[in-house]
Amino acid sequence: MRGRRTAGLVATIAVVGCSVQPQVEISSGTVESAEFAKHVKYYDVQLPAGATGLEWLELRDWDINELHLRFATDRVGLISFLGTYRLAPSTLMEADRSEALPSQSGWEDKLPARFREWQPSSWPARASNQVQDTNSDGLPLSVDLLVDNPSAAHPTVFVRIMQT
C-alpha cells in the first residue's frame, strides 16, 4: 500500500510541476528609494549628473533580472550617459518599438498600470538594442536604450538593463 501512495504522489507532483507558471517579483521606486542604491551597484548604473525625475522598475524571476529606468536629462547628460555604453546620439537607430519599455518585457500583464504606460511622445523614436556590458562583478549585462526626441533640451531616456 505504501508503494502505491508514493508512486501516486510522484505522478501528481510531476503533472503539477509541468504546469507551474513562472512568477515574477516586481519592485519599483524613485531615485530616493533606499533599494535603488543596491540596483546601482548590481546593474552598474551610471546616471548622468543632470538626470531628473528618475523612476525605476525591477522584474525578477528564477533566471532573469531586469531593471527598467525612465529619466530626463539635458543634452550633455545624454551624451555622457550614452558614452558609458560606447554610444553617441548619432549611433541611435530609428525604432518603432523597444524592449527598453516595460510593456515589452513579456510581463506586461503583471505590471502596475503606470509602467505599462511608459512610452515616448511619438514613434519612431531613437534606440539602441542589446548593447553588451558587464557589471563590476563581471556578470554579463544586456542594455536596451530608447531616447525620446534626442534633440530636445531635456530628452526622456528609457533603459532596460538585463542580467541573465
Side-chain angles (χ1 to χ4, degrees), residues 24-115:
V24 62
E25 294 177 35
I26 299 173
S27 58
S28 62
T30 63
V31 71
E32 292 87 18
S33 306
E35 193 173 356
F36 187 66
K38 291 188 280 185
H39 297 323
V40 167
K41 180 175 177 358
Y42 182 79
Y43 293 99
D44 206 19
V45 176
Q46 297 176 23
L47 294 172
T52 60
L54 181 125
E55 289 184 89
W56 61 268
L57 166 72
E58 185 184 42
L59 304 169
R60 299 178 66 168
D61 71 3
W62 66 276
D63 71 337
I64 295 176
N65 300 327
E66 61 184 67
L67 179 68
H68 291 266
L69 304 172
R70 178 176 71 172
F71 61 90
T73 187
D74 59 20
R75 293 171 95 180
V76 171
L78 176 62
I79 291 168
S80 170
F81 182 72
L82 292 174
T84 63
Y85 299 105
R86 298 166 302 285
L87 298 171
S90 62
T91 61
L92 298 174
M93 306 299 290
E94 195 170 275
D96 58 3
R97 66 181 302 277
S98 174
E99 293 190 13
L101 300 172
S103 61
Q104 303 292 316
S105 68
W107 298 104
E108 58 276 356
D109 60 330
K110 307 249 191 270
L111 297 176
R114 76 176 194 271
F115 296 109

Side-chain angles (χ1 to χ4, degrees), residues 42-43 63-66 135 139-142 161-164:
Y42 182 79
Y43 293 99
D63 71 337
I64 295 176
N65 300 327
E66 61 184 67
N135 71 6
L139 296 172
L141 301 173
S142 178
I161 306 170
M162 184 169 61
Q163 191 278 314
T164 56

